[in-house]
Amino acid sequence: MANNSELNTRYHQYESPLDLSPSLSLLAERKERKELTDFFKFMTLCHAVMVDKDPATGEILYQSSSPDETALVEGAKEVGIVLKSRTKETMTIEIDGNEEVYDLCIEFPFDSIRKRMSVVIHKNGIYYLLTKGADNIMNPRISWKEDEQEKVDFDLHQFATEGLRTLVMAQKEISKETFEELKGRIDELESSALVNKDEMIFDLYDQYERDLNFIGASAIEDKLQENVAETISVLMEANIRVWVLTGDKQETAIEIAKACQLIQEDMEEEILSIDFDHAKIKEHAILIHDEMNKIYDKYGIKYTVESLDDEKAKQLKKRKRITFNEAKRVISSLSIVIDGPTLGIILGDEDMEFEFFKLAMLARSVICCRVSPKQKASIVRLARYKEKSISLAIGDGANDVPMIMQANIGIGIRGKEGTQAVRASDYAISQFRFLKRLILVHGRYGYRRISSVICYYFYKNILLVFTEIYFAIFCGFSGQIYFADWLPMLYNSLWTSFTCFFAYSLERDVSSKKSERSPHLYSAGQKREYFSYLIFWKWILLSIYHGFIVYFGCTYGFRYIVNLEGHTETLWYVSSTAFTIIIHLVTMKLIIEILFLNWIVIVAGVGSVLLYWVCAIVLNVSFVAQLFQPNLEGIYFRMLSSIPTLLSLFLIPLVALLPDLTLKYFSQLYRPSSSDKEIMKIRETNNLMKGLNSIAPKCRTLGSLYNSEGRF
Amino acid sequence: MENDELLKAKEKKKRLEGNRFKQQTLPAWRPVPTIVSSMITFLVFGVIFLTFGIVLIEFTKDIVEVEYRYDNNCAVGSSCTHTLNIPEDMEQPIMVYYKIDNFFQNHRRYLKSINYSQLKGQNKGVGSLGSCDPIITNKDLGRSTSYGGTPLDPDAPANPCGLIAKTLFTDTYSISDYSIDETNIAWDSDVDDTFGQPANASNIQWVSSIDEHFIVWMRTAGMPNFRKLWGRIRTDIPKGSIALTVNNNYDVSSFDGKKTFILSTTNAFGGKNYLLAICSLVAGSLCFIFALANYLGSWVLKNNKAANEGNNNLHVD
């Protein structure tokens, strides 16, 4: 999700453990109270922010892969605790003008599995371990004072329901011996060559991040980028299923989902989440199934998820199920929210994955919260391979990289979270809202163009080959080639490629503005109106038919062709005429098929045919022909001097194209696809607008008349 | 400094936005058919096709062609005389063709069995005539005397070699009261560039490689049924009958072939062939049928629409 974090320091009306007096400013309040100073000091000390100085102004700049951390350090600066510099070993902070230097001894970096980070710092002989992280991870590591935890939890919940991102911070003092022991063990592990080194280091961290003292909690607003809600609702209108995969906690995620129209006013979110404390591992599946059944019941769908323990029954069920998407229906008011731990149980169990996707595909949107990067990737993988959907993943952070790599189309947003996502992506954009144009305009154009160009390329090559195949019947299947060698060789490379290259790289059915404004045009692709077996085979059958017309037209049309002198012709004359007709035919076919005729396409088309004629004439000149292709000697001159041949060069392509033209016209007139209808509608409104424009001047004059009269 | 950069960026943006090619906003014609436009298209095509068809038929009708198949009533090796009926006056020049059916001159192995340098007049040894396989020596050819009358060495290279040459058509024709001009029957380019003769040709060649009938034969036909020019008659032949004498030397029974003698006049549209004309007429009529179907379709569509609208109105009321 969009991540344009900006510090929005708010100090909540805390009752406890900190009572803030509303009359004082935060800065003044901070100076008064030690626990507040400690809290902000913590914020300037426990992070991975780098300090830079603007060479021109000398201003301090903070840089970090996590905008949240930058926000925290900036926040502390506002209340007079400034991080001045940071080296590999030390951190210098300034509190109300006094500098304090801390030794940075060890850093446990942030990790999306651990969901926390720690530093060990040293000053005046005392070592401190500072840890900050997600609340559910931190809670068990803090030794709470009485009823402190409930209050903090309540506040964190409040923050989260406002869509804020929360962090819990805690610290403890450690003795020099403990520190040295820890340091020694880390060094030892790091220099070792163990296979599971990382895991062992994690375990080690874990052992020390315990019995911490609560320092405070922060909540940061993750500001949405411009037009996120609009973009998402347009995508949903285009019949694209939008799933949010976020590491945020449930309340935050739901709030953000509401803010960006994923859960719209008339929609209801159903939460799929199970209570882990009260269930044994075996019962987890049953609990999830119960939750799913509740949703089915609520929306009146006669389907029950069964919990099958028996292996045989499972096998049976597996055999029955062919693909995931049996039901194409959508419940427009349903949105499903699922949390990471529950998802963790579902992912990996084929049976439950199936049931989950079956349910999730009914919903208009799905929100998965507290998911790890790995889980993000597995959800995308499931959607891509099991659901057989085309998936697009968009994200801006390093934690989105696995899912961006897994999706069919990975998109990175270049934001404040660094460039990992951008570097892993297929396409990079700088604002989430550009996704709309990327999909509805470029994506749709691209899909249309590629589908047409595939069909066209197959068409023109099958046409050429089938002409040869028909000839094979008449040369005793002896393998004799029909066209003189150089002709097919240059067919694709010179004479027919430029036309379709230019035509299909410029092809578009409606203008980009119209395309952007009509999201349902996008669903034509999902309905397979641009490419399907039927469309593909239509092209292929037509090319076989065209080959038939060209071959037999030439063979029997010129069967005993004689000129005024009475000479009869050879195979090469007939085949070269057929080849010329094919060049004319495929160019004409392209002109019929494309919807976007502009001067570039026309120049490319006419130019390619002219190029063919120039090449052919050069090849057929006696001494060139002797060098390259003796068979072609004089053939094109004779072709140009024979009236029936000249006639057939244009007549045969037209005869061949008659069915194409008829099919195209009749299907567009009497059985228009949804995109055809849309195009017709757009044309109609265009005509209407033209009509309006022509009467507009009159309206204006009328309007000014009325105004001068002071009436109306 | 910043302002400069901003200005530059703005200029660049303007320049890019002004580039209609890069912005893909080139003006273009987006043809979406309407009932009227498609009807017009079909009618225009129909008229074009029918005009061509009628013109082609008119021109083809002028051509007079007389065919006579003789292989089935004249024994090989004999000379027979037949009476041919001329249905209409024939204007000179009248082309004399022979037509052979079911002869695959376009078979790959047959076509490849030729040696162009030998045909150009170079003397080639047996070793360098591999392309003529399977007819390389005089033995393979089955000839023992040259066309000049000297005996040929059976192991010497066949000249000209190859299958095409070996199967040379050897029937000859004569018509009483009319002389057949057998010159200029081959393509000029072949006579000038492709075919030549060595100095001692009459002693080593079994047939003259610059003989025009030979050159005509060597220019292989594309189809298994083909015609080749044999000569021209330079005088008009009036309606009536003529006497044709055939020296029947060439055996076609081994491959179920047919031999036909043809007399034909020509015009700018070539020989007698109705296929293009028929194609044109059929396509033209189809176009008119489609236009009509379109008209009927539009009528049905309009009625349906009206009916639907009527229903909707009722519903609203």
Side-chain angles (χ1 to χ4, degrees):
Chain A
M1 193 41 56
N3 206 337
N4 200 355
S5 296
E6 217 175 75
L7 175 68
N8 190 1
T9 30
R10 293 177 47 180
Y11 47 108
H12 201 68
Q13 279 73 19
Y14 253 132
E15 286 175 10
S16 161
L18 303 166
D19 289 310
L20 298 175
S21 49
S23 56
L24 287 172
S25 76
L26 190 59
L27 177 60
E29 181 96 42
R30 203 272 301 151
K31 283 183 182 169
E32 292 272 301
R33 302 175 59 146
K34 191 185 169 292
E35 60 266 43
L36 269 181
T37 311
D38 282 347
F39 173 60
F40 286 109
K41 236 159 99 176
F42 182 104
M43 274 163 49
T44 52
L45 289 171
C46 178
H47 52 71
V49 174
M50 301 311 289
V51 184
D52 261 352
K53 268 197 180 138
D54 191 326
T57 57
E59 215 177 300
I60 294 173
L61 299 172
Y62 298 123
Q63 283 182 348
S64 164
S65 63
S66 152
D68 289 18
E69 286 197 326
T70 325
L72 288 176
V73 178
E74 298 255 5
K77 191 174 155 191
E78 266 179 39
V79 293
I81 301 179
V82 188
L83 174 68
K84 293 289 276 190
S85 69
R86 177 189 180 140
T87 63
K88 228 179 162 190
E89 276 112 26
T90 63
M91 280 197 275
T92 313
I93 61 171
E94 191 187 276
I95 306 175
D96 306 329
N98 309 319
E99 277 200 3
E100 285 182 24
V101 181
Y102 287 86
D103 296 328
L104 178 59
C105 305
I106 309 171
E107 192 182 334
F108 308 166
F110 177 80
D111 184 277
S112 54
I113 299 162
R114 281 163 30 86
K115 291 186 181 160
R116 60 185 183 273
M117 72 156 303
S118 299
V119 290
V120 177
I121 55 168
H122 165 251
K123 198 194 169 205
N124 301 338
I126 310 170
Y127 291 87
Y128 300 93
L129 174 77
L130 315 182
T131 308
K132 71 167 197 276
D135 52 2
N136 61 332
I137 302 282
M138 293 297 287
N139 276 351
R141 292 167 205 283
I142 294 173
S143 50
W144 296 94
K145 291 174 198 146
E146 28 49 270
D147 69 322
E148 193 182 39
Q149 186 178 2
E150 282 75 49
K151 285 173 181 167
V152 173
D153 274 351
F154 177 78
D155 284 326
L156 285 174
H157 182 75
Q158 286 293 108
F159 285 140
T161 46
E162 285 175 43
L164 303 178
R165 277 193 184 170
T166 57
L167 281 174
V168 172
M169 304 168 186
Q171 72 174 50
K172 74 172 176 187
E173 252 177 56
I174 52 174
S175 64
K176 199 175 176 204
E177 292 76 50
T178 325
F179 164 72
E180 269 160 10
E181 185 199 326
L182 169 63
K183 178 88 181 155
R185 284 173 70 182
I186 288 176
D187 287 346
E188 188 191 325
L189 269 175
E190 268 177 358
S191 56
S192 71
L194 291 167
V195 183
N196 55 349
K197 196 164 86 179
D198 287 347
E199 278 167 38
M200 290 181 75
I201 289 178
F202 283 179
D203 277 347
L204 185 65
Y205 292 164
D206 196 44
Q207 284 167 30
Y208 287 86
E209 291 163 329
R210 279 169 200 282
D211 303 321
L212 302 160
N213 301 315
F214 178 70
I215 290 288
S218 69
I220 294 166
E221 187 183 353
D222 193 355
K223 257 200 171 173
L224 286 177
Q225 286 184 346
E226 252 179 278
N227 289 343
V228 170
E230 190 221 339
T231 308
I232 287 179
S233 58
V234 165
L235 292 185
M236 282 165 80
E237 231 180 292
N239 201 19
I240 296 170
R241 301 295 177 83
V242 184
W243 288 34
V244 173
L245 314 177
T246 173
D248 289 344
K249 52 191 283 178
Q250 190 171 304
E251 294 88 343
T252 316
I254 291 176
E255 209 45 47
I256 291 175
K258 279 180 179 162
C260 53
Q261 291 287 306
L262 269 162
I263 304 174
Q264 288 165 9
E265 271 170 32
D266 56 341
M267 288 166 74
E268 219 174 312
E269 72 264 23
E270 296 294 337
I271 297 167
L272 257 185
S273 168
I274 56 162
D275 195 346
F276 282 88
D277 296 344
H278 305 294
K280 289 176 200 153
I281 297 167
K282 264 200 165 178
E283 289 165 358
H284 287 160
I286 298 168
L287 280 175
I288 295 172
H289 285 164
D290 284 349
E291 296 265 333
M292 287 178 172
N293 285 335
K294 263 184 222 162
I295 297 174
Y296 282 127
D297 278 350
K298 188 170 172 184
Y299 290 90
I301 292 165
K302 285 190 188 112
Y303 181 81
T304 320
V305 186
E306 287 164 84
S307 303
L308 297 172
D309 290 328
D310 191 8
E311 274 302 311
K312 258 190 184 169
K314 270 191 182 174
Q315 288 295 330
L316 253 175
K317 210 173 162 191
K318 215 182 266 174
R319 236 173 281 153
K320 263 196 225 160
R321 158 198 325 159
I322 302 158
T323 55
F324 265 105
N325 41 2
E326 286 164 31
K328 278 284 179 200
R329 51 190 289 205
V330 184
I331 302 171
S332 58
S333 63
L334 175 63
S335 170
I336 288 174
V337 180
I338 186 165
D339 66 2
T342 314
L343 210 53
I345 294 167
I346 289 171
L347 298 174
D349 180 334
E350 213 180 309
D351 207 46
M352 293 183 78
E353 282 169 1
F354 169 76
E355 297 294 356
F356 170 61
F357 264 91
K358 196 177 168 82
L359 177 63
M361 290 315 282
L362 284 174
R364 262 183 96 190
S365 62
V366 177
I367 292 123
C368 307
C369 39
R370 275 214 191 288
V371 289
S372 66
K374 218 175 152 189
Q375 282 177 325
K376 287 183 185 179
S378 16
I379 293 169
V380 172
R381 189 175 54 238
L382 274 182
R384 183 173 172 183
Y385 294 109
K386 295 257 169 102
E387 183 63 35
K388 304 235 189 308
S389 323
I390 303 298
S391 54
L392 177 149
I394 177 163
D396 65 347
N399 54 356
D400 300 318
V401 169
M403 112 180 144
I404 287 175
M405 310 248 282
Q406 193 62 248
N408 293 79
I409 305 146
I411 296 177
I413 304 176
R414 194 164 44 193
K416 293 189 174 171
E417 290 201 33
T419 54
Q420 280 104 319
V422 167
R423 269 182 277 154
S425 65
D426 304 315
Y427 298 93
I429 52 182
S430 55
Q431 295 264 316
F432 182 78
R433 67 194 159 100
F434 297 153
L435 185 64
K436 182 178 150 193
R437 195 178 162 84
L438 187 66
I439 290 181
L440 293 188
V441 179
H442 299 292
R444 202 177 77 85
Y445 281 175
Y447 183 58
R448 239 187 77 86
R449 287 168 186 168
I450 202 82
S451 348
S452 312
V453 96
I454 288 171
C455 289
Y456 181 72
Y457 236 84
F458 271 101
Y459 158 79
K460 75 183 171 85
N461 283 292
I462 285 178
L463 166 56
L464 195 72
V465 168
F466 257 83
T467 319
E468 296 236 25
I469 289 176
Y470 292 124
F471 175 67
I473 302 169
F474 294 91
C475 70
F477 296 101
S478 58
Q480 173 58 31
I481 54 163
Y482 186 51
F483 302 113
D485 313 62
W486 274 89
L487 300 178
M489 213 186 286
L490 297 176
Y491 176 71
N492 273 326
S493 51
L494 262 188
W495 299 323
T496 57
S497 284
F498 295 128
T499 326
C500 79
F501 172 78
F502 282 109
Y504 283 120
S505 54
L506 293 170
E507 165 78 338
R508 60 168 204 243
D509 46 1
V510 293
S511 73
S512 61
K513 270 184 195 157
K514 291 274 157 49
S515 185
E516 207 172 333
R517 272 184 220 148
S518 23
H520 40 292
L521 259 186
Y522 183 82
S523 17
Q526 298 163 329
K527 290 179 202 144
R528 300 188 171 272
E529 280 176 16
Y530 303 138
F531 191 84
S532 64
Y533 282 119
L534 194 72
I535 292 169
F536 180 77
W537 281 104
K538 196 183 98 188
W539 278 85
I540 302 303
L541 289 178
L542 279 173
S543 82
I544 293 172
Y545 159 76
H546 287 179
F548 181 88
I549 291 287
V550 170
Y551 178 76
F552 289 98
C554 289
T555 304
Y556 293 103
F558 316 141
R559 193 165 184 177
Y560 310 119
I561 186 159
V562 286
N563 56 7
L564 275 172
E565 300 280 288
H567 295 298
T568 50
E569 270 303 348
T570 56
L571 169 67
W572 305 112
Y573 180 86
V574 179
S575 73
S576 301
T577 313
F579 189 82
T580 311
I581 289 171
I582 288 174
I583 296 272
H584 290 181
L585 176 59
V586 295
T587 312
M588 281 163 146
K589 167 82 173 166
L590 183 71
I591 302 284
I592 286 187
E593 286 301 328
I594 58 170
L595 285 172
F596 188 78
L597 266 180
N598 72 347
W599 65 268
I600 297 181
V601 179
I602 291 167
V603 166
V606 175
S608 290
V609 173
L610 282 181
L611 180 70
Y612 164 72
W613 273 100
V614 170
C615 291
I617 299 280
V618 170
L619 266 180
N620 107 108
V621 170
S622 183
F623 83 96
V624 186
Q626 290 301 333
L627 276 176
F628 290 101
Q629 190 81 70
N631 310 329
L632 289 183
E633 192 180 333
I635 275 180
Y636 285 86
F637 291 141
R638 298 210 293 276
M639 242 154 81
L640 286 173
S641 63
S642 157
I643 293 172
T645 315
L646 280 178
L647 265 182
S648 347
L649 288 184
F650 296 94
L651 212 65
I652 292 178
L654 287 182
V655 172
L657 283 174
L658 205 58
D660 302 57
L661 209 65
T662 318
L663 272 177
K664 189 184 160 77
Y665 276 8
F666 279 46
S667 74
Q668 283 195 5
L669 286 173
Y670 302 110
R671 291 190 59 196
S673 63
S674 67
S675 53
D676 290 337
K677 276 183 197 159
E678 192 68 21
I679 294 163
M680 294 290 268
K681 219 163 79 191
I682 288 168
R683 276 171 73 94
E684 263 166 35
T685 44
N686 274 356
N687 288 341
L688 200 69
M689 289 308 287
K690 262 185 213 157
L692 281 179
N693 282 340
S694 64
I695 55 167
K698 289 174 203 158
C699 290
R700 238 174 274 138
T701 5
L702 280 176
S704 58
L705 274 176
Y706 290 147
N707 286 338
S708 63
E709 294 275 328
R711 290 181 201 161
F712 301 103
Chain B
M1 202 179 93
E2 242 171 55
N3 269 340
D4 272 8
E5 270 172 23
L6 257 175
L7 269 176
K8 261 185 200 165
K10 265 187 186 167
E11 244 171 56
K12 196 180 174 191
K13 201 180 163 204
K14 226 178 196 176
R15 210 170 54 233
L16 281 175
E17 273 171 1
N19 190 327
R20 302 191 77 172
F21 176 70
K22 283 183 186 163
Q23 292 299 314
Q24 303 216 356
T25 52
L26 284 168
W29 182 49
R30 225 171 275 116
V32 177
T34 61
I35 285 166
V36 177
S37 76
S38 66
M39 255 174 74
I40 291 172
T41 316
F42 281 125
L43 286 178
V44 167
F45 274 111
V47 169
I48 293 174
F49 281 136
L50 287 187
T51 321
F52 275 136
I54 289 163
V55 169
L56 279 172
I57 281 195
E58 279 307 313
F59 271 92
T60 315
K61 251 169 54 185
D62 284 350
I63 294 169
V64 186
E65 213 173 80
V66 176
E67 287 197 19
Y68 180 70
R69 180 180 169 191
Y70 61 86
D71 63 277
N72 49 358
N73 47 19
C74 187
V76 175
S78 64
S79 171
C80 327
T81 303
H82 308 277
T83 312
L84 261 60
N85 180 38
I86 308 291
E88 269 175 87
D89 289 349
M90 292 177 92
E91 275 174 39
Q92 69 94 11
I94 299 159
M95 309 301 161
V96 178
Y97 296 104
Y98 57 90
K99 180 182 163 206
I100 304 181
D101 286 349
N102 206 26
F103 190 113
F104 284 72
Q105 260 206 321
N106 58 8
H107 194 281
R108 186 175 156 87
R109 285 195 61 196
Y110 180 85
L111 261 179
K112 284 176 78 168
S113 184
I114 191 169
N115 189 301
Y116 285 103
S117 15
Q118 192 194 41
L119 289 174
K120 258 197 163 151
Q122 290 173 25
N123 274 319
K124 291 267 177 184
V126 173
S128 55
L129 290 178
S131 68
C132 280
D133 179 69
I135 309 298
I136 296 173
T137 59
N138 286 324
K139 202 163 61 192
D140 299 331
L141 198 64
R143 301 266 177 171
S144 53
T145 49
S146 74
Y147 72 90
T150 30
L152 290 169
D153 173 10
D155 293 322
N159 191 348
C161 68
L163 272 172
I164 310 179
K166 183 188 169 158
T167 53
L168 174 67
F169 184 75
T170 46
D171 287 5
T172 58
Y173 310 101
S174 59
I175 299 172
S176 54
D177 306 332
Y178 297 98
S179 68
I180 302 176
D181 175 11
E182 292 174 46
T183 57
N184 293 326
I185 53 171
W187 288 99
D188 289 343
S189 60
D190 285 350
V191 175
D192 297 342
D193 305 332
T194 317
F195 292 86
Q197 237 179 354
N200 53 347
S202 59
N203 295 329
I204 56 165
Q205 285 194 327
W206 59 270
V207 64
S208 165
S209 60
I210 54 166
D211 177 65
E212 287 209 47
H213 287 302
F214 176 75
I215 295 174
V216 166
W217 181 256
M218 293 303 283
R219 189 167 258 261
T220 50
M223 285 294 117
N225 304 338
F226 58 86
R227 272 183 200 192
K228 283 178 186 288
L229 188 61
W230 198 80
R232 297 187 188 87
I233 297 170
R234 298 286 182 191
T235 44
D236 293 351
I237 302 179
K239 192 174 166 182
S241 61
I242 53 167
L244 166 74
T245 308
V246 179
N247 281 320
N248 193 358
N249 307 317
Y250 197 70
D251 184 20
V252 292
S253 60
S254 61
F255 53 89
D256 289 332
K258 292 177 199 164
K259 288 191 292 187
T260 310
F261 173 83
I262 296 166
L263 286 177
S264 174
T265 59
T266 59
N267 64 17
F269 278 77
K272 207 173 184 77
N273 189 345
Y274 283 106
L275 186 93
L276 279 184
I278 290 166
C279 252
S280 223
L281 289 177
V282 169
S285 333
L286 276 178
C287 280
F288 278 109
I289 291 169
F290 288 147
L292 190 71
N294 224 335
Y295 178 72
L296 291 176
S298 75
W299 191 67
V300 170
L301 214 65
K302 214 183 273 172
N303 278 8
N304 275 352
K305 222 182 197 174
N308 281 342
E309 271 164 15
N311 286 341
N312 285 346
N313 285 342
L314 279 177
H315 196 71
V316 170
D317 288 337

